[in-house]
Amino acid sequence: MHTITRRSLLAAGSAAALLSAPWVRAQAGPLRLKCGVVTPDTHPATIRLREAAEKVAKETNGAVEVAVFPNGQLGSDTDMLSQLRSGALEMFAQSSSNLATLVPRASLINIAFAWSGYDKVWPAVDGELGAFIRSEITKAGLVPFERMWDNGFRQTTTSVRPITSPADFEGLKLRVPNSALFTSAFRALGAAPVALNFSEAYSALQTKVVDGQENPLAIITSFKLVEVQKYLSFTNHIWDGFWLMSGNRTWSRLPEDAKAVLTRHFNQAGLDQRQDIASQGVAMREALGKAGFAINDAPAAPFQEKLRKAGFYTEWKGKYGAEAWGHLEKFAGAVS
C-alpha cells in the first residue's frame, strides 16, 4: 500500500468516469486508502471495518480500495493520529478517550458514571451532543464520520481484589488511557492511575507493574486479559466509543462520489457494529467467567457520590464549559 500523493489524487480526479455510475477502474489505477485501528482481528470494530471496505470495493468495481490495518500495526493511537493529520494515513478509528489528547472536549462523553445505559447514549451521540463533539473534532483539522462506533461500557479487572465499593480502589495501581479525564476520575476514587498506551498494558499487568486495568468486555476478551488478571468487576464506570475519521488533507482531495460511498458504507458499518457489541455482551460475560474470572457487579451510586464529594464533576464542568456540559446533561440527566 502506498500513501496517496498529490500526483495520484490529481490523476484520479482527472478521470471523472472513475467515480460515476457505472463504476469502472480508471487507467490511473484505484484510489488506495489505509485505515488504522488498535483493535485486533477478532474485535467487532475490525470485522465491520473490513466488511465496509469490501462493500466499497464491490460498489466501485475496485476503483476505491480501503486496506484495514488492525492491532496497532501502523503504530500506537498517538502515532496513527499524527499520521492521520499529516496525510500519511487516510482513515483511523480512535476512541474518544484517546482523541481527547488533541480534542479535549471529545472526552465529554467519558464523564464517569454519567450514563445509565444505551437508551441515553445513542440518542446523545447521534444527536446534539454528537454534533457538538464532531464540530470540535473538525476544528482540529479532522473529518469525523457521522456515526460513532461502540467501544462499550468499561469494566475493571484486577489481580489483587474485586471492586465492590469505592474503598476497593484505594491505592490500586490501575492502568488507564493517556487521558486527563480518566486519570482525574480514578484519582478522585482513591486509585493510583498509571497512563499507558494499551500496547503496553498486557506486559504491565503480567509483570505486576500495575494491579489492574479498565476496558470494555470486547477488549478484555480479545486481548485475553484473563491470563494476567483474576477479578472482573462490572463497574460500568465510563462509556466510550470510536470516532472513525479522515484528515482534511486527504478528505478535501477525494472526489465527491468517493466520499459519498465511503460515508454510506462506513456509517452503516458503525451502526451494525453497535448491534454486534449489544448482542455479544451476555455471551462475553458468561465466557469470561468460564475462562477463569471471578465476576461481580458494583452499584454505581456509591462511586458517583464519592466523585461528587471529591469535586470531580464540578472540576470538569468548569473545564468543558457550561455549553458543553449542557449538551451532556440534556441526554444523560443531571450529573453534577
Side-chain angles (χ1 to χ4, degrees), residues 203-222:
S203 176
L205 293 166
Q206 186 175 44
T207 57
K208 309 297 183 183
V209 171
V210 293
D211 302 313
Q213 64 83 53
E214 50 76 56
N215 257 301
L217 290 186
I219 295 293
I220 294 169
T221 300
S222 298

Side-chain angles (χ1 to χ4, degrees), residues 121-206:
V121 167
W122 295 132
V125 299
D126 287 338
E128 181 182 307
L129 180 59
F132 174 78
I133 294 175
R134 287 198 305 276
S135 70
E136 294 291 304
I137 296 172
T138 300
K139 292 174 186 176
L142 302 174
V143 181
F145 284 67
E146 184 179 6
R147 299 302 182 187
M148 198 171 192
W149 298 50
D150 192 8
N151 198 21
F153 279 90
R154 301 176 79 93
Q155 318 301 347
T156 308
T157 70
T158 80
S159 60
V160 292
R161 58 180 175 270
I163 304 299
T164 61
S165 72
D168 295 317
F169 274 121
E170 195 65 39
L172 189 75
K173 292 182 292 183
L174 192 73
R175 179 270 165 187
V176 298
N178 289 300
S179 163
L181 178 64
F182 278 62
T183 300
S184 173
F186 285 105
R187 188 172 290 126
L189 289 169
V194 180
L196 294 172
N197 281 321
F198 190 71
S199 58
E200 305 171 70
Y202 189 96
S203 176
L205 293 166
Q206 186 175 44

Side-chain angles (χ1 to χ4, degrees), residues 183-295:
T183 300
S184 173
F186 285 105
R187 188 172 290 126
L189 289 169
V194 180
L196 294 172
N197 281 321
F198 190 71
S199 58
E200 305 171 70
Y202 189 96
S203 176
L205 293 166
Q206 186 175 44
T207 57
K208 309 297 183 183
V209 171
V210 293
D211 302 313
Q213 64 83 53
E214 50 76 56
N215 257 301
L217 290 186
I219 295 293
I220 294 169
T221 300
S222 298
F223 285 93
K224 301 180 180 180
L225 297 187
V226 69
E227 296 174 349
V228 289
Q229 298 276 268
K230 182 177 180 180
Y231 302 99
L232 168 57
S233 300
F234 276 70
T235 46
N236 290 302
H237 50 276
I238 287 172
W239 178 79
D240 200 6
F242 294 105
W243 287 109
L244 179 62
M245 302 171 290
S246 186
N248 274 343
R249 293 189 180 188
T250 295
W251 197 253
S252 64
R253 296 172 182 173
L254 289 180
E256 291 302 318
D257 286 351
K259 294 178 185 178
V261 73
L262 289 165
T263 297
R264 183 170 66 258
H265 286 299
F266 281 95
N267 275 338
Q268 183 59 51
L271 295 176
D272 294 338
Q273 186 261 357
R274 295 179 186 181
Q275 293 301 314
D276 296 338
I277 295 291
S279 63
Q280 291 176 9
V282 174
M284 282 185 182
R285 175 172 175 143
E286 182 178 344
L288 288 168
K290 289 180 178 179
F293 269 122
I295 297 176

Side-chain angles (χ1 to χ4, degrees), residues 19-36:
L19 295 167
S20 59
W23 292 75
V24 294
R25 185 180 297 273
Q27 291 182 351
L31 289 174
R32 292 189 172 98
L33 312 177
K34 299 190 299 296
C35 177

